């Protein structure tokens, strides 16, 4: 299919470097990234020039305006919020402790703010920690909704650079499942983002209840730990830190 040869050049206007006030970049690992697999778009066989090929059986999410694959901001927010529910918050506390230990080695001025997150997390009420209420629910300490200008905003994450030959970033892959051990396997073709593709995760973060830079580092570590998209349990959707954060879109 021709879109397997698509490259990232020409999309600068769709992934502005100044979207939001905070951002980090992360690069996909093998075998790649699968997003939007729940979207149903099967219609039968598709003809690819001179030969027939099986269609893509699993759904995939593309941005309506740019046509680029992206991780919706709602999904990014959902991954981060879910992290605070793992082991009743113990997972996030362990991440905070890792960040604390790293910051202590460089005597970081943000160490106090990181300690503050830990204290807020440990002071949770019967429903959720105050950190979750402010950051994810947009509610203040009294339970009232904050005005939009005072809330944290989670934007869609877009690919900004491909480390693959010629800048390609999409490829097909297969799931081969056995419906019956006495029959041949049934391969299911789907689309994925290749490894070595860098995504930018932008946010508009406030300084409540802790500094925006500290929230950003916590969010970055959670994404690197948990991944994004579908089939993360078998390796898809995993990221590594981007070696060089790109200021503009590159191929």
């Amino acid at each position: 299919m021709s879109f397997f040869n698509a490259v990232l050049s020409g999309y600068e206007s769709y992934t502005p470097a100044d979207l939001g006030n905070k951002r980090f970049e992360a690069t996909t690992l093998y075998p790649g990234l699968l997003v939007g697999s729940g979207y149903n778009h099967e219609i039968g066989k598709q003809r690819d020039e001179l030969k027939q090929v099986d269609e893509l059986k699993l759904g995939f999410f593309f941005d309506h305006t740019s046509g680029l694959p992206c991780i919706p901001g709602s999904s990014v927010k959902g991954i981060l919020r879910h992290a605070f529910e793992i082991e009743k918050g113990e997972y996030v506390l362990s991440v905070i402790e890792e960040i604390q230990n790293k910051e202590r080695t460089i005597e970081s001025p943000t160490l106090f703010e990181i300690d503050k997150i830990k204290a807020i997390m440990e002071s949770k009420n019967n429903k959720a920690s105050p950190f979750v209420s402010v950051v994810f629910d947009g509610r203040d300490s009294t339970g009232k909704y904050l005005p939009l200008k005072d809330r944290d905003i989670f934007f869609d994450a877009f690919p900004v650079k491909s480390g693959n030959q010629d800048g390609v970033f999409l490829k097909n892959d297969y799931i081969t499942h056995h419906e019956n051990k006495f029959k041949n396997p049934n391969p299911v073709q789907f689309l994925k983002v290749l490894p070595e593709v860098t995504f930018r995760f932008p946010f508009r973060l406030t300084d409540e209840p802790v500094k925006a830079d500290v929230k950003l580092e916590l969010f970055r570590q959670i994404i690197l730990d948990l991944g994004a998209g579908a089939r993360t349990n078998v390796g898809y959707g995993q990221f590594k830190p981007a070696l060089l954060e790109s200021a503009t879109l590159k191929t």
Side-chain angles (χ1 to χ4, degrees):
M1 295 183 184
S2 59
F3 57 75
F4 292 149
N5 298 320
V7 298
L8 281 173
S9 61
Y11 289 99
E12 290 85 350
S13 61
Y14 294 110
T15 56
D18 58 352
L19 181 63
N21 62 348
K22 299 293 175 183
R23 64 200 62 84
F24 67 82
E25 293 182 0
T27 303
T28 54
L29 291 168
Y30 178 84
L33 172 70
L34 173 62
V35 289
S37 61
Y39 290 90
N40 187 3
H41 57 198
E42 287 188 59
I43 59 172
K45 292 281 187 179
Q46 294 293 308
R47 181 171 294 278
D48 183 7
E49 296 180 352
L50 300 178
K51 62 179 181 179
Q52 288 222 321
V53 297
D54 289 331
E55 68 174 338
L56 302 172
K57 299 292 186 179
L58 300 184
F60 202 84
F61 186 82
F62 293 95
D63 174 59
H64 178 74
T65 303
S66 67
L68 285 170
C70 72
I71 306 171
S74 57
S75 296
V76 175
K77 183 177 182 180
I79 293 164
L80 296 171
R81 178 172 183 141
H82 171 68
F84 285 79
E85 300 171 354
I86 297 174
E87 298 177 357
K88 298 181 179 180
E90 292 300 317
Y91 161 70
V92 167
L93 286 173
S94 70
V95 173
I96 292 170
E97 288 176 0
E98 287 181 18
I99 298 173
Q100 281 178 315
N101 293 335
K102 181 175 68 175
E103 297 295 291
R104 285 194 181 96
T105 62
I106 59 175
E107 299 182 355
S108 170
T110 62
L111 187 58
F112 170 76
E113 290 291 321
I114 297 169
D115 290 334
K116 188 176 175 183
I117 292 186
K118 187 174 181 181
I120 292 171
M121 283 290 298
E122 292 175 337
S123 65
K124 65 179 66 174
N125 53 36
N126 291 332
K127 293 185 178 179
S129 77
F131 185 89
V132 170
S133 296
V134 173
V135 174
F136 299 110
D137 296 338
R139 296 174 182 265
D140 62 19
S141 58
T142 67
K144 291 180 59 178
Y145 280 107
L146 296 165
L148 188 61
K149 66 181 180 66
D150 295 330
R151 298 185 195 178
D152 292 308
I153 305 297
F154 302 76
F155 295 106
D156 299 344
F158 281 91
V160 294
K161 182 173 60 176
S162 172
N164 298 293
Q165 184 176 1
D166 298 325
V168 297
F169 64 104
L170 295 172
K171 189 177 180 181
N172 61 332
D173 205 341
Y174 293 87
I175 300 172
T176 305
H177 63 281
H178 292 72
E179 298 179 359
N180 187 309
K181 63 182 179 181
F182 297 110
K183 294 182 179 180
N184 290 330
N186 179 30
V188 174
Q189 184 178 205
F190 62 93
L191 182 66
K192 70 176 183 180
V193 175
L194 283 166
E196 300 302 325
V197 174
T198 298
F199 276 74
R200 179 179 296 136
F201 292 79
F203 307 86
R204 193 193 74 189
L205 300 179
T206 69
D207 288 328
E208 295 295 334
V210 295
K211 295 293 185 183
D213 284 338
V214 176
K215 283 191 277 191
L216 183 71
E217 177 58 23
L218 178 59
F219 293 166
R220 186 183 78 91
Q221 192 57 57
I222 290 172
I223 293 295
L224 292 176
D225 280 354
L226 301 184
R231 297 182 61 78
T232 54
N233 61 322
V234 292
Y236 289 90
Q238 301 302 313
F239 293 89
K240 63 182 178 180
L243 294 179
L244 292 174
E245 295 197 356
S246 55
T248 58
L249 199 67
K250 300 177 183 178
T251 57

